[in-house]
């Protein structure tokens, strides 16, 4: 396939799926990632991250306490974007862990599909300090279900690097336990 045909096809593919990476496109066209980057730059197509931001922040989308939901399969998995702000910074200049936990907890509740109180012990790790005014990808999935309890894994990513993760254990919300008495 000549470069003009490849570039036309690439534009068509990215209109249908703007979340494809340069590597995905390189595999599809059997060329190097550098060739795809050059084609993208020639055509004025931004990087995948910028395309996602335009898609989310340029159009109305579902918004869950700071997380713009891109894709949600309730009870299974979900993906979103979280934009940090300077107001979220702590005294060290990094985004405070409680801000990430709050967004993770709210996203997990949306992912679970039922209100819950994440009051049980969870597993949380703030791996890499996050600077304000950063857009993070948020990925969540239900990893285990036992009875009415769900174990939900939420990860925040800056590019390919996981900067924060938590495993939340759901329990019925206080509203649910009082209504059954």
């Amino acid at each position: 396939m000549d470069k003009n045909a490849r570039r036309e096809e690439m534009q068509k593919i990215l209109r249908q799926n703007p979340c494809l990476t340069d590597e995905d496109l390189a595999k599809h066209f059997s060329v190097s990632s550098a060739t795809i980057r050059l084609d993208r730059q020639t055509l004025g197509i931004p990087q995948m991250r910028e395309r996602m931001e335009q898609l989310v922040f340029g159009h109305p989308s579902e918004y869950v306490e700071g997380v713009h939901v891109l894709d949600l399969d309730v009870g299974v998995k979900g993906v979103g974007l979280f934009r940090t702000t300077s107001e979220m910074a702590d005294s060290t200049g990094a985004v405070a862990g409680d801000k990430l936990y709050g967004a993770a907890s709210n996203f997990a509740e949306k992912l679970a599909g039922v209100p819950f109180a994440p009051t049980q012990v969870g597993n949380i790790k703030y791996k890499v300090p996050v600077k304000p005014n950063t857009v993070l990808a948020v990925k969540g999935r239900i990893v285990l279900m036992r009875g009415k309890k769900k174990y939900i894994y939420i990860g925040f990513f800056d590019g390919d690097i996981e900067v924060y993760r938590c495993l939340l254990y759901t329990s019925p919300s206080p509203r649910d336990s009082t209504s059954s008495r």
Side-chain angles (χ1 to χ4, degrees):
M1 175 181 287
D2 75 336
K3 70 178 179 183
N4 290 329
R6 181 181 63 240
R7 288 176 178 174
E8 280 185 39
E9 182 69 16
M10 184 170 58
Q11 284 181 309
K12 191 183 306 180
I13 289 171
L14 288 175
R15 268 189 239 113
Q16 294 172 343
N17 187 357
C19 296
L20 291 175
T21 64
D22 288 349
E23 291 75 25
D24 295 333
L25 292 166
K27 285 178 189 173
H28 178 80
F29 291 110
S30 301
V31 296
S32 69
S33 294
T35 299
I36 294 297
R37 275 193 300 278
L38 180 62
D39 287 349
R40 249 192 332 89
Q41 290 170 348
T42 301
L43 295 168
I45 298 172
Q47 293 180 359
M48 186 264 301
R49 182 181 203 135
E50 291 178 45
R51 293 192 305 267
M52 284 180 61
E53 286 180 32
Q54 289 172 357
L55 182 69
V56 173
F57 299 117
H59 296 81
S61 65
E62 190 164 357
Y63 184 76
V64 179
E65 294 294 323
V67 177
H68 288 271
V69 179
L70 298 175
D71 187 30
L72 185 66
D73 188 358
V74 175
V76 181
K77 63 183 177 175
V79 177
L81 293 178
F82 181 69
R83 183 177 297 208
T84 63
T85 65
S86 57
E87 291 82 30
M88 296 176 181
D90 60 15
S91 60
T92 67
V95 173
D98 63 318
K99 304 301 182 187
L100 296 172
Y101 177 80
S105 176
N106 289 318
F107 189 62
E109 185 172 356
K110 186 70 172 177
L111 180 59
V114 293
F116 70 86
T119 55
Q120 297 185 7
V121 175
N123 186 326
I124 300 168
K125 190 165 187 180
Y126 196 163
K127 299 168 134 182
V128 179
V130 176
K131 294 179 182 177
N133 303 312
T134 303
V135 178
L136 302 172
V138 182
K139 298 177 183 177
R141 68 182 188 279
I142 308 282
V143 292
L144 182 65
M145 290 181 17
R146 286 191 181 144
K148 290 186 176 184
K149 190 180 280 191
K150 295 178 182 178
Y151 297 76
I152 305 170
Y153 183 90
I154 305 288
F156 288 75
F157 295 83
D158 187 359
D160 292 337
I161 300 168
E162 186 177 50
V163 295
Y164 181 90
R165 64 140 172 90
C166 63
L167 181 65
L168 300 169
Y169 311 124
T170 68
S171 57
S173 74
R175 292 182 302 249
D176 295 340
S177 58
T178 57
S179 63
S180 61
R181 291 182 188 166

